[in-house]
Amino acid sequence: MMNPFPRARLSARHIVMVVSAKGGVGKSTVTVNLAAALTARGLKVGIFDADLHAPNIPALLGVRQSQRLSEGRSPAAMFAIDARPDAIDMRPLPAFQRYGIGVMSLGLLVGDRQAITPNPAEVGNLIALLMARIDWGDADVLLIDMPPGTGEPLNTLLDNRLVDAALLVALRENLSHLDNGRLISVLKRKLTPILGVVENMTHVVCPNCGEHIDLYPAPAAEQAVYGGAPVLGAIPFHPHLIRQNRAGKPIPLADPTSPAAVALLALADEVITRMKVAPPAPAPPDDECIDCP
């Protein structure tokens, strides 16, 4: 059977799915701010919002589609899942640009109060087809913000080899650790490399004295709660990250010296190292001839 969304159609050099075992861990917030941190490090970055039922990436970037779309422009009309693979409209769609980051989400294709309720069996194909249609240009990294858990579209993306690696966002909390094990088991069974773990909302930093106050204790080394995956960063709780859902600018761009931004920039450095992504070399000055002896 023809694969209607081969990896070759995705123009980004590296594709990383940002996953979480549970909802409410701040995964989308981490995705947006990590994208901003990678941008600050000189990379070209895209974000694809793969959450069909709660596409929140546009809101975190201050973008909204206020009007309900006409029937002819609805996702159901744009992506006829039951069509022959070679009959599906795969003409490229441009990514929306915000803060130098390419963005695409179903939240940009429907009104902000318009629900999408496809047949559950079609969710994975719908998301994969949309992702394959987007023109990401010469993006170095594409971050896929996944819905929580181990259901669709996770399996469709993994089974069709549409991602290069996964980045797990978690809380230091016992129930979270229990579900992390299930998600890590799926990723390993699907032979998906795990870049590492981002522990979110681990502590607060006193604005007066700089003291770190832990909100959750760090897991003991013998617990092995992440299946051997390394912890790449611990992101502190910061009020700016909460206000960002009211169209605040990502904190690595808005306040790069804050504790949260410093942690996110360090996380970006870890991702760059583990993905072996190098920022593009600066162009030579106009009066410099690179071919001259």
Side-chain angles (χ1 to χ4, degrees):
M1 180 178 177
M2 180 186 294
N3 178 3
F5 28 81
R7 171 65 172 83
R9 277 189 175 140
L10 303 176
S11 55
R13 290 170 56 203
H14 300 276
I15 300 179
V16 179
M17 57 166 44
V18 185
V19 297
S20 65
K22 299 183 73 68
V25 302
K27 171 183 51 58
S28 296
T29 301
V30 168
T31 300
V32 166
N33 285 278
L34 173 58
L38 289 168
T39 300
R41 291 301 196 227
L43 299 183
K44 295 183 179 180
V45 184
I47 303 176
F48 180 78
D49 187 349
D51 196 330
L52 183 72
H53 301 293
N56 293 323
I57 292 295
L60 288 168
L61 288 167
V63 184
R64 62 191 293 263
Q65 171 62 263
S66 60
Q67 296 182 348
R68 181 184 179 90
L69 300 189
S70 65
E71 193 66 30
R73 294 180 62 205
S74 69
M78 293 171 62
F79 305 100
I81 300 303
D82 56 352
R84 300 192 322 274
D86 58 350
I88 297 175
D89 183 0
M90 294 302 293
R91 287 175 296 180
L93 297 171
F96 187 90
Q97 296 294 318
R98 183 71 163 170
Y99 303 123
I101 302 167
V103 183
M104 181 49 70
S105 166
L106 276 172
L108 297 173
L109 301 178
V110 299
D112 57 5
R113 297 188 180 182
Q114 184 178 358
I116 303 298
T117 56
N119 185 312
E122 297 177 350
V123 169
N125 284 348
L126 177 62
I127 290 296
L129 285 169
L130 176 58
M131 187 170 75
R133 282 193 66 178
I134 308 309
D135 180 5
W136 299 104
D138 55 351
D140 298 300
V141 180
L142 174 62
L143 300 178
I144 306 176
D145 183 48
M146 298 292 295
T150 56
E152 289 293 351
L154 180 80
N155 290 294
T156 295
L157 300 187
L158 296 181
D159 290 342
N160 287 280
R161 300 291 187 264
L162 295 180
V163 301
D164 300 315
L167 181 67
L168 175 65
V169 178
L171 297 181
R172 292 174 178 173
E173 192 269 331
N174 286 336
L175 289 179
S176 181
H177 293 329
L178 181 65
D179 291 335
N180 289 336
R182 298 187 179 101
L183 177 56
I184 289 170
S185 175
V186 170
L187 294 171
K188 288 184 174 181
R189 189 169 70 248
K190 302 282 188 178
L191 303 179
T192 303
I194 302 173
L195 288 183
V197 180
V198 183
E199 294 181 328
N200 196 28
M201 297 182 283
T202 55
H203 61 283
V204 294
V205 179
C206 176
N208 295 319
C209 67
E211 179 187 1
H212 286 221
I213 304 170
D214 285 337
L215 299 178
Y216 297 96
E222 63 271 13
Q223 285 185 273
V225 293
Y226 303 126
V231 176
L232 303 186
I235 312 301
F237 181 90
H238 193 283
H240 183 100
L241 300 178
I242 305 301
R243 292 192 295 267
Q244 193 170 324
N245 63 5
R246 296 195 291 273
K249 196 174 186 180
I251 197 168
L253 305 178
D255 188 6
T257 61
S258 68
V262 170
L264 286 157
L265 290 165
L267 171 62
D269 292 337
E270 287 283 353
V271 169
I272 290 170
T273 298
R274 291 175 184 278
M275 289 294 295
K276 297 181 172 60
V277 185
D286 292 339
D287 59 352
E288 181 180 337
C289 177
I290 60 175
D291 295 324
C292 295

